[in-house]
Amino acid sequence: MTFSRKKITVAYTVEKCPKCQTVKRREFSQKDVLFSESSKCLSCGGMMVIEKIYGQILEQ
Ligand SMILES: [Zn+2]
């Protein structure tokens, strides 16, 4: 009998505010496009830009 390990890939989106350099990481959403404006910066009110999208493999 073999035991299979479950692997889950979790994708993250990293947003950065070009004005105040605030970096925010959140879970990836399907409509995220690299280098596009995503959400409002909570620190300065500017638009945050998606800087990086990456996946992380979690083993269970
Ligand atoms: Zn900002």
Side-chain angles (χ1 to χ4, degrees):
M1 200 175 165
T2 54
F3 293 95
S4 60
R5 286 182 112 181
K6 242 197 211 171
K7 279 187 182 175
I8 303 170
T9 307
V10 185
Y12 290 104
T13 299
V14 178
E15 298 173 328
K16 191 176 180 184
C17 175
K19 271 196 200 169
C20 69
Q21 312 300 311
T22 296
V23 176
K24 202 171 76 179
R25 193 186 79 159
R26 57 172 173 80
E27 262 184 65
F28 172 74
S29 135
Q30 287 298 326
K31 53 187 193 294
D32 285 346
V33 179
L34 202 57
F35 305 126
S36 70
E37 291 181 335
S38 57
S39 58
K40 223 172 185 185
C41 173
L42 296 174
S43 308
C44 73
M47 285 306 286
M48 296 191 84
V49 173
I50 295 176
E51 195 189 52
K52 197 158 72 174
I53 294 171
Y54 67 97
Q56 211 170 46
I57 296 165
L58 302 176
E59 280 189 42
Q60 269 194 342

